[in-house]
PDB file of all heavy atoms in Angstrom:
ATOM      1  N   SER A1421     104.969 100.839  95.788  1.00  0.00           N
ATOM      2  CA  SER A1421     105.675 102.100  95.973  1.00  0.00           C
ATOM      3  C   SER A1421     104.883 103.272  95.396  1.00  0.00           C
ATOM      4  O   SER A1421     104.087 103.111  94.463  1.00  0.00           O
ATOM      5  CB  SER A1421     107.052 102.044  95.302  1.00  0.00           C
ATOM      6  OG  SER A1421     106.911 102.058  93.896  1.00  0.00           O
ATOM      7  N   LEU A1422     105.128 104.426  95.955  1.00  0.00           N
ATOM      8  CA  LEU A1422     104.543 105.659  95.448  1.00  0.00           C
ATOM      9  C   LEU A1422     104.993 105.886  94.000  1.00  0.00           C
ATOM     10  O   LEU A1422     104.209 106.333  93.159  1.00  0.00           O
ATOM     11  CB  LEU A1422     104.970 106.830  96.334  1.00  0.00           C
ATOM     12  CG  LEU A1422     104.586 108.225  95.879  1.00  0.00           C
ATOM     13  CD1 LEU A1422     103.080 108.361  95.788  1.00  0.00           C
ATOM     14  CD2 LEU A1422     105.167 109.261  96.826  1.00  0.00           C
ATOM     15  N   ARG A1423     106.228 105.561  93.715  1.00  0.00           N
ATOM     16  CA  ARG A1423     106.764 105.721  92.353  1.00  0.00           C
ATOM     17  C   ARG A1423     105.954 104.898  91.348  1.00  0.00           C
ATOM     18  O   ARG A1423     105.668 105.354  90.241  1.00  0.00           O
ATOM     19  CB  ARG A1423     108.240 105.302  92.326  1.00  0.00           C
ATOM     20  CG  ARG A1423     108.879 105.484  90.978  1.00  0.00           C
ATOM     21  CD  ARG A1423     110.389 105.229  91.071  1.00  0.00           C
ATOM     22  NE  ARG A1423     110.999 105.497  89.784  1.00  0.00           N
ATOM     23  CZ  ARG A1423     111.520 104.575  89.002  1.00  0.00           C
ATOM     24  NH1 ARG A1423     111.538 103.310  89.396  1.00  0.00           N
ATOM     25  NH2 ARG A1423     112.056 104.891  87.850  1.00  0.00           N
ATOM     26  N   TRP A1424     105.565 103.686  91.721  1.00  0.00           N
ATOM     27  CA  TRP A1424     104.791 102.828  90.820  1.00  0.00           C
ATOM     28  C   TRP A1424     103.431 103.448  90.544  1.00  0.00           C
ATOM     29  O   TRP A1424     102.979 103.484  89.397  1.00  0.00           O
ATOM     30  CB  TRP A1424     104.650 101.429  91.411  1.00  0.00           C
ATOM     31  CG  TRP A1424     103.957 100.474  90.493  1.00  0.00           C
ATOM     32  CD1 TRP A1424     104.520  99.787  89.458  1.00  0.00           C
ATOM     33  CD2 TRP A1424     102.582 100.098  90.527  1.00  0.00           C
ATOM     34  NE1 TRP A1424     103.571  99.007  88.837  1.00  0.00           N
ATOM     35  CE2 TRP A1424     102.368  99.179  89.477  1.00  0.00           C
ATOM     36  CE3 TRP A1424     101.511 100.438  91.333  1.00  0.00           C
ATOM     37  CZ2 TRP A1424     101.127  98.603  89.218  1.00  0.00           C
ATOM     38  CZ3 TRP A1424     100.278  99.859  91.076  1.00  0.00           C
ATOM     39  CH2 TRP A1424     100.098  98.953  90.027  1.00  0.00           C
ATOM     40  N   ILE A1425     102.759 103.960  91.572  1.00  0.00           N
ATOM     41  CA  ILE A1425     101.455 104.618  91.392  1.00  0.00           C
ATOM     42  C   ILE A1425     101.616 105.806  90.453  1.00  0.00           C
ATOM     43  O   ILE A1425     100.814 106.006  89.532  1.00  0.00           O
ATOM     44  CB  ILE A1425     100.856 105.080  92.746  1.00  0.00           C
ATOM     45  CG1 ILE A1425     100.538 103.883  93.643  1.00  0.00           C
ATOM     46  CG2 ILE A1425      99.625 105.953  92.535  1.00  0.00           C
ATOM     47  CD1 ILE A1425      99.467 102.948  93.121  1.00  0.00           C
ATOM     48  N   ASN A1426     102.654 106.579  90.664  1.00  0.00           N
ATOM     49  CA  ASN A1426     102.908 107.735  89.814  1.00  0.00           C
ATOM     50  C   ASN A1426     103.103 107.311  88.359  1.00  0.00           C
ATOM     51  O   ASN A1426     102.573 107.940  87.441  1.00  0.00           O
ATOM     52  CB  ASN A1426     104.130 108.492  90.346  1.00  0.00           C
ATOM     53  CG  ASN A1426     104.308 109.813  89.666  1.00  0.00           C
ATOM     54  OD1 ASN A1426     104.977 109.889  88.636  1.00  0.00           O
ATOM     55  ND2 ASN A1426     103.721 110.844  90.232  1.00  0.00           N
ATOM     56  N   ARG A1427     103.852 106.243  88.140  1.00  0.00           N
ATOM     57  CA  ARG A1427     104.081 105.750  86.773  1.00  0.00           C
ATOM     58  C   ARG A1427     102.792 105.226  86.136  1.00  0.00           C
ATOM     59  O   ARG A1427     102.552 105.436  84.956  1.00  0.00           O
ATOM     60  CB  ARG A1427     105.147 104.651  86.780  1.00  0.00           C
ATOM     61  CG  ARG A1427     106.552 105.178  87.045  1.00  0.00           C
ATOM     62  CD  ARG A1427     107.581 104.056  87.096  1.00  0.00           C
ATOM     63  NE  ARG A1427     107.463 103.128  85.993  1.00  0.00           N
ATOM     64  CZ  ARG A1427     108.082 103.245  84.809  1.00  0.00           C
ATOM     65  NH1 ARG A1427     108.870 104.264  84.597  1.00  0.00           N
ATOM     66  NH2 ARG A1427     107.919 102.342  83.869  1.00  0.00           N
ATOM     67  N   VAL A1428     101.944 104.573  86.917  1.00  0.00           N
ATOM     68  CA  VAL A1428     100.656 104.088  86.405  1.00  0.00           C
ATOM     69  C   VAL A1428      99.810 105.273  85.954  1.00  0.00           C
ATOM     70  O   VAL A1428      99.246 105.282  84.865  1.00  0.00           O
ATOM     71  CB  VAL A1428      99.901 103.246  87.460  1.00  0.00           C
ATOM     72  CG1 VAL A1428      98.461 103.000  87.039  1.00  0.00           C
ATOM     73  CG2 VAL A1428     100.613 101.924  87.703  1.00  0.00           C
ATOM     74  N   GLU A1429      99.716 106.289  86.810  1.00  0.00           N
ATOM     75  CA  GLU A1429      98.889 107.449  86.489  1.00  0.00           C
ATOM     76  C   GLU A1429      99.414 108.229  85.293  1.00  0.00           C
ATOM     77  O   GLU A1429      98.641 108.885  84.599  1.00  0.00           O
ATOM     78  CB  GLU A1429      98.749 108.362  87.710  1.00  0.00           C
ATOM     79  CG  GLU A1429      97.882 107.766  88.785  1.00  0.00           C
ATOM     80  CD  GLU A1429      97.554 108.738  89.904  1.00  0.00           C
ATOM     81  OE1 GLU A1429      97.989 109.914  89.861  1.00  0.00           O
ATOM     82  OE2 GLU A1429      96.839 108.321  90.833  1.00  0.00           O
ATOM     83  N   ARG A1430     100.701 108.160  85.025  1.00  0.00           N
ATOM     84  CA  ARG A1430     101.271 108.837  83.857  1.00  0.00           C
ATOM     85  C   ARG A1430     101.258 107.949  82.614  1.00  0.00           C
ATOM     86  O   ARG A1430     101.712 108.368  81.555  1.00  0.00           O
ATOM     87  CB  ARG A1430     102.699 109.291  84.162  1.00  0.00           C
ATOM     88  CG  ARG A1430     102.751 110.429  85.165  1.00  0.00           C
ATOM     89  CD  ARG A1430     104.126 111.081  85.253  1.00  0.00           C
ATOM     90  NE  ARG A1430     105.221 110.160  85.075  1.00  0.00           N
ATOM     91  CZ  ARG A1430     106.081 109.773  86.014  1.00  0.00           C
ATOM     92  NH1 ARG A1430     105.969 110.240  87.222  1.00  0.00           N
ATOM     93  NH2 ARG A1430     107.061 108.936  85.747  1.00  0.00           N
ATOM     94  N   GLY A1431     100.774 106.722  82.747  1.00  0.00           N
ATOM     95  CA  GLY A1431     100.712 105.815  81.606  1.00  0.00           C
ATOM     96  C   GLY A1431     102.056 105.221  81.225  1.00  0.00           C
ATOM     97  O   GLY A1431     102.272 104.816  80.091  1.00  0.00           O
ATOM     98  N   GLU A1432     102.943 105.131  82.191  1.00  0.00           N
ATOM     99  CA  GLU A1432     104.294 104.634  81.932  1.00  0.00           C
ATOM    100  C   GLU A1432     104.516 103.200  82.404  1.00  0.00           C
ATOM    101  O   GLU A1432     105.620 102.688  82.307  1.00  0.00           O
ATOM    102  CB  GLU A1432     105.320 105.543  82.607  1.00  0.00           C
ATOM    103  CG  GLU A1432     105.317 106.942  82.071  1.00  0.00           C
ATOM    104  CD  GLU A1432     106.251 107.863  82.829  1.00  0.00           C
ATOM    105  OE1 GLU A1432     106.869 107.417  83.823  1.00  0.00           O
ATOM    106  OE2 GLU A1432     106.350 109.029  82.423  1.00  0.00           O
ATOM    107  N   SER A1433     103.484 102.563  82.911  1.00  0.00           N
ATOM    108  CA  SER A1433     103.643 101.221  83.463  1.00  0.00           C
ATOM    109  C   SER A1433     102.622 100.266  82.859  1.00  0.00           C
ATOM    110  O   SER A1433     101.457 100.614  82.702  1.00  0.00           O
ATOM    111  CB  SER A1433     103.458 101.269  84.985  1.00  0.00           C
ATOM    112  OG  SER A1433     103.647 100.003  85.548  1.00  0.00           O
ATOM    113  N   ASN A1434     103.082  99.074  82.495  1.00  0.00           N
ATOM    114  CA  ASN A1434     102.173  98.005  82.080  1.00  0.00           C
ATOM    115  C   ASN A1434     101.790  97.225  83.326  1.00  0.00           C
ATOM    116  O   ASN A1434     102.644  96.681  84.011  1.00  0.00           O
ATOM    117  CB  ASN A1434     102.858  97.049  81.093  1.00  0.00           C
ATOM    118  CG  ASN A1434     102.845  97.579  79.698  1.00  0.00           C
ATOM    119  OD1 ASN A1434     101.908  98.240  79.278  1.00  0.00           O
ATOM    120  ND2 ASN A1434     103.903  97.292  78.962  1.00  0.00           N
ATOM    121  N   LEU A1435     100.502  97.200  83.615  1.00  0.00           N
ATOM    122  CA  LEU A1435     100.039  96.497  84.805  1.00  0.00           C
ATOM    123  C   LEU A1435      99.782  95.037  84.494  1.00  0.00           C
ATOM    124  O   LEU A1435      99.352  94.709  83.391  1.00  0.00           O
ATOM    125  CB  LEU A1435      98.712  97.095  85.290  1.00  0.00           C
ATOM    126  CG  LEU A1435      98.760  98.408  86.030  1.00  0.00           C
ATOM    127  CD1 LEU A1435      99.022  99.540  85.088  1.00  0.00           C
ATOM    128  CD2 LEU A1435      97.469  98.603  86.759  1.00  0.00           C
ATOM    129  N   ASN A1436     100.023  94.184  85.464  1.00  0.00           N
ATOM    130  CA  ASN A1436      99.569  92.805  85.309  1.00  0.00           C
ATOM    131  C   ASN A1436      98.098  92.779  85.704  1.00  0.00           C
ATOM    132  O   ASN A1436      97.568  93.717  86.305  1.00  0.00           O
ATOM    133  CB  ASN A1436     100.434  91.822  86.117  1.00  0.00           C
ATOM    134  CG  ASN A1436     100.315  92.037  87.612  1.00  0.00           C
ATOM    135  OD1 ASN A1436      99.231  92.187  88.160  1.00  0.00           O
ATOM    136  ND2 ASN A1436     101.459  92.048  88.286  1.00  0.00           N
ATOM    137  N   TRP A1437      97.424  91.701  85.380  1.00  0.00           N
ATOM    138  CA  TRP A1437      95.971  91.645  85.610  1.00  0.00           C
ATOM    139  C   TRP A1437      95.610  91.702  87.085  1.00  0.00           C
ATOM    140  O   TRP A1437      94.601  92.263  87.471  1.00  0.00           O
ATOM    141  CB  TRP A1437      95.359  90.426  84.919  1.00  0.00           C
ATOM    142  CG  TRP A1437      95.787  89.101  85.459  1.00  0.00           C
ATOM    143  CD1 TRP A1437      96.851  88.358  85.058  1.00  0.00           C
ATOM    144  CD2 TRP A1437      95.159  88.363  86.501  1.00  0.00           C
ATOM    145  NE1 TRP A1437      96.938  87.206  85.791  1.00  0.00           N
ATOM    146  CE2 TRP A1437      95.896  87.171  86.687  1.00  0.00           C
ATOM    147  CE3 TRP A1437      94.043  88.583  87.298  1.00  0.00           C
ATOM    148  CZ2 TRP A1437      95.548  86.225  87.636  1.00  0.00           C
ATOM    149  CZ3 TRP A1437      93.704  87.625  88.246  1.00  0.00           C
ATOM    150  CH2 TRP A1437      94.461  86.463  88.397  1.00  0.00           C
ATOM    151  N   MET A1438      96.459  91.165  87.944  1.00  0.00           N
ATOM    152  CA  MET A1438      96.154  91.178  89.379  1.00  0.00           C
ATOM    153  C   MET A1438      96.193  92.601  89.932  1.00  0.00           C
ATOM    154  O   MET A1438      95.315  92.999  90.697  1.00  0.00           O
ATOM    155  CB  MET A1438      97.124  90.274  90.134  1.00  0.00           C
ATOM    156  CG  MET A1438      96.888  88.802  89.834  1.00  0.00           C
ATOM    157  SD  MET A1438      98.116  87.700  90.562  1.00  0.00           S
ATOM    158  CE  MET A1438      97.983  88.064  92.285  1.00  0.00           C
ATOM    159  N   ASP A1439      97.201  93.372  89.529  1.00  0.00           N
ATOM    160  CA  ASP A1439      97.288  94.758  89.990  1.00  0.00           C
ATOM    161  C   ASP A1439      96.131  95.584  89.439  1.00  0.00           C
ATOM    162  O   ASP A1439      95.593  96.447  90.137  1.00  0.00           O
ATOM    163  CB  ASP A1439      98.623  95.387  89.588  1.00  0.00           C
ATOM    164  CG  ASP A1439      99.780  94.838  90.392  1.00  0.00           C
ATOM    165  OD1 ASP A1439      99.553  94.372  91.527  1.00  0.00           O
ATOM    166  OD2 ASP A1439     100.917  94.877  89.891  1.00  0.00           O
ATOM    167  N   MET A1440      95.757  95.333  88.203  1.00  0.00           N
ATOM    168  CA  MET A1440      94.647  96.074  87.615  1.00  0.00           C
ATOM    169  C   MET A1440      93.352  95.807  88.388  1.00  0.00           C
ATOM    170  O   MET A1440      92.614  96.736  88.719  1.00  0.00           O
ATOM    171  CB  MET A1440      94.459  95.716  86.147  1.00  0.00           C
ATOM    172  CG  MET A1440      93.371  96.552  85.488  1.00  0.00           C
ATOM    173  SD  MET A1440      93.187  96.226  83.746  1.00  0.00           S
ATOM    174  CE  MET A1440      94.733  96.815  83.124  1.00  0.00           C
ATOM    175  N   ILE A1441      93.097  94.556  88.699  1.00  0.00           N
ATOM    176  CA  ILE A1441      91.883  94.204  89.445  1.00  0.00           C
ATOM    177  C   ILE A1441      91.905  94.845  90.834  1.00  0.00           C
ATOM    178  O   ILE A1441      90.900  95.386  91.289  1.00  0.00           O
ATOM    179  CB  ILE A1441      91.707  92.674  89.528  1.00  0.00           C
ATOM    180  CG1 ILE A1441      91.360  92.125  88.137  1.00  0.00           C
ATOM    181  CG2 ILE A1441      90.642  92.290  90.549  1.00  0.00           C
ATOM    182  CD1 ILE A1441      91.379  90.622  88.031  1.00  0.00           C
ATOM    183  N   ARG A1442      93.053  94.798  91.498  1.00  0.00           N
ATOM    184  CA  ARG A1442      93.159  95.416  92.822  1.00  0.00           C
ATOM    185  C   ARG A1442      92.870  96.911  92.763  1.00  0.00           C
ATOM    186  O   ARG A1442      92.153  97.452  93.599  1.00  0.00           O
ATOM    187  CB  ARG A1442      94.542  95.173  93.425  1.00  0.00           C
ATOM    188  CG  ARG A1442      94.738  93.719  93.823  1.00  0.00           C
ATOM    189  CD  ARG A1442      96.074  93.480  94.453  1.00  0.00           C
ATOM    190  NE  ARG A1442      96.008  93.992  95.826  1.00  0.00           N
ATOM    191  CZ  ARG A1442      97.069  94.386  96.501  1.00  0.00           C
ATOM    192  NH1 ARG A1442      98.262  94.336  95.963  1.00  0.00           N
ATOM    193  NH2 ARG A1442      96.954  94.835  97.718  1.00  0.00           N
ATOM    194  N   LEU A1443      93.426  97.588  91.744  1.00  0.00           N
ATOM    195  CA  LEU A1443      93.161  99.017  91.592  1.00  0.00           C
ATOM    196  C   LEU A1443      91.675  99.292  91.384  1.00  0.00           C
ATOM    197  O   LEU A1443      91.108 100.204  91.982  1.00  0.00           O
ATOM    198  CB  LEU A1443      93.946  99.587  90.400  1.00  0.00           C
ATOM    199  CG  LEU A1443      95.388 100.000  90.647  1.00  0.00           C
ATOM    200  CD1 LEU A1443      96.067 100.342  89.339  1.00  0.00           C
ATOM    201  CD2 LEU A1443      95.458 101.166  91.610  1.00  0.00           C
ATOM    202  N   LEU A1444      91.039  98.496  90.521  1.00  0.00           N
ATOM    203  CA  LEU A1444      89.619  98.694  90.250  1.00  0.00           C
ATOM    204  C   LEU A1444      88.782  98.493  91.509  1.00  0.00           C
ATOM    205  O   LEU A1444      87.834  99.242  91.758  1.00  0.00           O
ATOM    206  CB  LEU A1444      89.144  97.758  89.136  1.00  0.00           C
ATOM    207  CG  LEU A1444      89.802  97.947  87.767  1.00  0.00           C
ATOM    208  CD1 LEU A1444      89.185  97.002  86.746  1.00  0.00           C
ATOM    209  CD2 LEU A1444      89.735  99.373  87.296  1.00  0.00           C
ATOM    210  N   ILE A1445      89.129  97.496  92.310  1.00  0.00           N
ATOM    211  CA  ILE A1445      88.385  97.239  93.547  1.00  0.00           C
ATOM    212  C   ILE A1445      88.605  98.373  94.558  1.00  0.00           C
ATOM    213  O   ILE A1445      87.647  98.898  95.118  1.00  0.00           O
ATOM    214  CB  ILE A1445      88.778  95.874  94.150  1.00  0.00           C
ATOM    215  CG1 ILE A1445      88.265  94.752  93.249  1.00  0.00           C
ATOM    216  CG2 ILE A1445      88.244  95.734  95.569  1.00  0.00           C
ATOM    217  CD1 ILE A1445      88.806  93.380  93.587  1.00  0.00           C
ATOM    218  N   ILE A1446      89.849  98.750  94.758  1.00  0.00           N
ATOM    219  CA  ILE A1446      90.160  99.806  95.731  1.00  0.00           C
ATOM    220  C   ILE A1446      89.477 101.116  95.353  1.00  0.00           C
ATOM    221  O   ILE A1446      88.948 101.827  96.207  1.00  0.00           O
ATOM    222  CB  ILE A1446      91.690 100.001  95.853  1.00  0.00           C
ATOM    223  CG1 ILE A1446      92.310  98.791  96.556  1.00  0.00           C
ATOM    224  CG2 ILE A1446      92.031 101.295  96.584  1.00  0.00           C
ATOM    225  CD1 ILE A1446      93.818  98.730  96.480  1.00  0.00           C
ATOM    226  N   LEU A1447      89.465 101.431  94.053  1.00  0.00           N
ATOM    227  CA  LEU A1447      88.890 102.700  93.593  1.00  0.00           C
ATOM    228  C   LEU A1447      87.420 102.581  93.201  1.00  0.00           C
ATOM    229  O   LEU A1447      86.825 103.551  92.737  1.00  0.00           O
ATOM    230  CB  LEU A1447      89.715 103.250  92.428  1.00  0.00           C
ATOM    231  CG  LEU A1447      91.151 103.620  92.799  1.00  0.00           C
ATOM    232  CD1 LEU A1447      91.946 103.972  91.556  1.00  0.00           C
ATOM    233  CD2 LEU A1447      91.181 104.758  93.814  1.00  0.00           C
ATOM    234  N   ASP A1448      86.850 101.387  93.416  1.00  0.00           N
ATOM    235  CA  ASP A1448      85.433 101.139  93.127  1.00  0.00           C
ATOM    236  C   ASP A1448      85.064 101.502  91.688  1.00  0.00           C
ATOM    237  O   ASP A1448      84.089 102.204  91.432  1.00  0.00           O
ATOM    238  CB  ASP A1448      84.558 101.897  94.127  1.00  0.00           C
ATOM    239  CG  ASP A1448      83.129 101.376  94.155  1.00  0.00           C
ATOM    240  OD1 ASP A1448      82.930 100.179  93.862  1.00  0.00           O
ATOM    241  OD2 ASP A1448      82.215 102.166  94.453  1.00  0.00           O
ATOM    242  N   LEU A1449      85.892 101.027  90.748  1.00  0.00           N
ATOM    243  CA  LEU A1449      85.659 101.273  89.325  1.00  0.00           C
ATOM    244  C   LEU A1449      85.126 100.010  88.661  1.00  0.00           C
ATOM    245  O   LEU A1449      85.772  98.969  88.725  1.00  0.00           O
ATOM    246  CB  LEU A1449      86.971 101.677  88.630  1.00  0.00           C
ATOM    247  CG  LEU A1449      87.491 103.067  88.928  1.00  0.00           C
ATOM    248  CD1 LEU A1449      88.906 103.212  88.398  1.00  0.00           C
ATOM    249  CD2 LEU A1449      86.581 104.113  88.321  1.00  0.00           C
ATOM    250  N   PRO A1450      83.967 100.086  88.005  1.00  0.00           N
ATOM    251  CA  PRO A1450      83.448  98.915  87.297  1.00  0.00           C
ATOM    252  C   PRO A1450      84.281  98.624  86.044  1.00  0.00           C
ATOM    253  O   PRO A1450      84.613  99.552  85.297  1.00  0.00           O
ATOM    254  CB  PRO A1450      82.018  99.300  86.914  1.00  0.00           C
ATOM    255  CG  PRO A1450      81.819 100.705  87.335  1.00  0.00           C
ATOM    256  CD  PRO A1450      83.062 101.207  87.987  1.00  0.00           C
ATOM    257  N   PRO A1451      84.633  97.375  85.806  1.00  0.00           N
ATOM    258  CA  PRO A1451      85.456  97.025  84.646  1.00  0.00           C
ATOM    259  C   PRO A1451      84.852  97.484  83.316  1.00  0.00           C
ATOM    260  O   PRO A1451      85.577  97.889  82.421  1.00  0.00           O
ATOM    261  CB  PRO A1451      85.556  95.499  84.700  1.00  0.00           C
ATOM    262  CG  PRO A1451      85.149  95.118  86.067  1.00  0.00           C
ATOM    263  CD  PRO A1451      84.315  96.222  86.621  1.00  0.00           C
ATOM    264  N   GLU A1452      83.511  97.449  83.204  1.00  0.00           N
ATOM    265  CA  GLU A1452      82.868  97.863  81.950  1.00  0.00           C
ATOM    266  C   GLU A1452      83.144  99.339  81.674  1.00  0.00           C
ATOM    267  O   GLU A1452      83.385  99.722  80.536  1.00  0.00           O
ATOM    268  CB  GLU A1452      81.341  97.675  81.997  1.00  0.00           C
ATOM    269  CG  GLU A1452      80.834  96.370  82.535  1.00  0.00           C
ATOM    270  CD  GLU A1452      80.804  96.289  84.062  1.00  0.00           C
ATOM    271  OE1 GLU A1452      80.254  97.184  84.754  1.00  0.00           O
ATOM    272  OE2 GLU A1452      81.339  95.305  84.564  1.00  0.00           O
ATOM    273  N   LYS A1453      83.090 100.151  82.716  1.00  0.00           N
ATOM    274  CA  LYS A1453      83.353 101.585  82.560  1.00  0.00           C
ATOM    275  C   LYS A1453      84.790 101.808  82.120  1.00  0.00           C
ATOM    276  O   LYS A1453      85.066 102.627  81.244  1.00  0.00           O
ATOM    277  CB  LYS A1453      83.078 102.319  83.869  1.00  0.00           C
ATOM    278  CG  LYS A1453      83.406 103.792  83.801  1.00  0.00           C
ATOM    279  CD  LYS A1453      83.189 104.489  85.116  1.00  0.00           C
ATOM    280  CE  LYS A1453      83.611 105.945  84.960  1.00  0.00           C
ATOM    281  NZ  LYS A1453      83.516 106.706  86.154  1.00  0.00           N
ATOM    282  N   VAL A1454      85.709 101.085  82.738  1.00  0.00           N
ATOM    283  CA  VAL A1454      87.122 101.227  82.404  1.00  0.00           C
ATOM    284  C   VAL A1454      87.358 100.835  80.944  1.00  0.00           C
ATOM    285  O   VAL A1454      87.998 101.565  80.190  1.00  0.00           O
ATOM    286  CB  VAL A1454      88.003 100.386  83.348  1.00  0.00           C
ATOM    287  CG1 VAL A1454      89.457 100.408  82.917  1.00  0.00           C
ATOM    288  CG2 VAL A1454      87.852 100.884  84.774  1.00  0.00           C
ATOM    289  N   ALA A1455      86.800  99.697  80.534  1.00  0.00           N
ATOM    290  CA  ALA A1455      86.972  99.244  79.143  1.00  0.00           C
ATOM    291  C   ALA A1455      86.436 100.282  78.172  1.00  0.00           C
ATOM    292  O   ALA A1455      87.075 100.587  77.159  1.00  0.00           O
ATOM    293  CB  ALA A1455      86.270  97.901  78.941  1.00  0.00           C
TER     294      ALA A1455
END
């Protein structure tokens, strides 16, 4: 949902590891940079 994306971007949601990996892949973000 759009609401979930909004909550993630505001830091209001705890992501599970699968969603985090999907976001990193979709946005082409290297895990090392994120860490």
Side-chain angles (χ1 to χ4, degrees):
S1421 71
L1422 173 61
R1423 182 172 184 249
W1424 184 82
I1425 295 296
N1426 190 271
R1427 288 178 48 89
V1428 168
E1429 289 189 1
R1430 290 192 325 249
E1432 297 175 357
S1433 182
N1434 278 326
L1435 283 74
N1436 65 46
W1437 66 270
M1438 290 174 58
D1439 288 335
M1440 184 177 294
I1441 290 171
R1442 290 182 76 205
L1443 276 172
L1444 298 183
I1445 291 169
I1446 290 168
L1447 296 172
D1448 197 28
L1449 287 169
E1452 314 81 51
K1453 177 183 177 183
V1454 174

